[in-house]
Amino acid sequence: TTLRKWEDAAESECTLKRTAGVEQRANALRELVRSLRGAGFEPDAPLVVTAVPGRDRVFMGHTDFPGLGAFTVNATSQEELVAAFQLTADRTFHFLNACPEQFPNASVTAAELLVGPATGRAVWDPDHWASYCKGALAYLFNMSPVAASCTRNTQAGAGLRAFFQSRGPLALPQRAGMSSSAALTTALALGVNVLFDLKLQLPQLAQVDWGEYYLGKKAGAADKTAQLFARNGEER
């Protein structure tokens, strides 16, 4: 759908059963949508909106690291990050944040993402929030089964504008232990998957966690597996 349709929906009454959680989520989405024109989003171009929870580790540590052979039990949080995505025509990925003073806007060109397979050496500064977005995209462009499709899209001129927000009562805390960085890149992967028509399934999207190797970190797919597969009241 388009931003204009989202704006119309944002001004209408919520028809879902009114609970505190529903109202808080509706308000977060309204705030997101009302911010997008000022962030450069086009009103009549296709728009993807996502909401991704944090991850609470229930049992064990980062046992998703390669070679440890153990297991971990994760749950997702009530708190979440919301984001919006739209294609651009400049072969550039723009990362915008609702709190630019704390999380400065950044960008990366498609050419800058073609850095080859991850070696564990930091290509981007792990202390900058947008580096996690760059690492996730680098995984898609260099190591994923759709690397060629990503390159074809950008060769045709495609880029992306991404706007992230985590504010209000259900804001995802930006601290260690809640996987806010994984929520950030899960939202990005979902947006790119739709707008670039990559057709990745959930298990493949979970592998985008490996993009943190481009930041000099070790990672595995446990965080995104929880965020993508968890369902309320279900064990999986």
Side-chain angles (χ1 to χ4, degrees):
T1 189
T2 65
L3 173 55
R4 195 182 301 277
K5 289 182 179 179
W6 272 99
E7 288 172 332
D8 291 342
E11 300 309 318
S12 63
E13 286 293 320
C14 179
T15 58
L16 298 175
K17 181 179 178 181
R18 289 181 177 273
T19 66
V22 167
E23 288 289 343
Q24 289 165 350
R25 283 179 168 82
N27 288 336
L29 288 171
R30 288 190 184 104
E31 182 181 359
L32 173 76
V33 169
R34 289 166 181 163
S35 301
L36 296 181
R37 288 211 193 202
F41 283 72
E42 296 293 333
D44 296 311
L47 181 78
V48 173
V49 174
T50 63
V52 179
R55 184 271 301 135
D56 288 321
R57 198 172 294 284
V58 179
F59 178 77
M60 293 296 285
H62 276 285
T63 51
D64 50 334
F65 288 167
L68 293 184
F71 64 93
T72 180
V73 178
N74 292 322
T76 50
S77 68
Q78 179 173 262
E79 297 83 9
E80 62 191 12
L81 173 148
V82 294
F85 306 92
Q86 195 172 73
L87 289 175
T88 63
D90 59 359
R91 296 188 177 94
T92 300
F93 294 81
H94 306 267
F95 311 117
L96 313 174
N97 200 291
C99 298
E101 301 83 8
Q102 185 178 3
F103 303 103
N105 297 336
S107 64
V108 64
T109 66
E112 291 171 328
L113 293 171
L114 299 177
V115 293
T119 64
R121 177 184 63 83
V123 178
W124 294 286
D125 179 6
D127 292 328
H128 195 292
W129 75 278
S131 295
Y132 290 86
C133 296
K134 296 174 184 178
L137 291 171
Y139 169 81
L140 288 173
F141 270 76
N142 296 279
M143 299 177 64
S144 77
V146 293
S149 295
C150 290
T151 300
R152 280 196 299 272
N153 272 278
T154 54
Q155 285 175 340
L160 189 81
R161 190 178 307 278
F163 186 93
F164 301 94
Q165 175 188 295
S166 185
R167 298 198 296 202
L170 293 179
L172 181 60
Q174 287 115 18
R175 65 171 187 266
M178 289 292 289
S179 287
S180 57
S181 60
L184 178 77
T185 53
T186 298
L188 176 62
L190 289 168
V192 172
N193 192 42
V194 173
L195 290 171
F196 277 37
D197 194 27
L198 301 179
K199 297 181 174 62
L200 290 171
Q201 301 301 307
L202 294 185
Q204 296 169 308
L205 286 168
Q207 298 301 312
V208 175
D209 260 343
W210 295 93
E212 291 196 12
Y213 272 77
Y214 288 100
L215 277 62
K217 294 176 172 283
K218 291 184 177 180
D223 290 347
K224 278 184 175 47
T225 298
Q227 290 166 336
L228 291 166
F229 283 92
R231 297 294 181 269
N232 187 34
E234 294 183 17
E235 293 182 10
R236 293 188 167 212

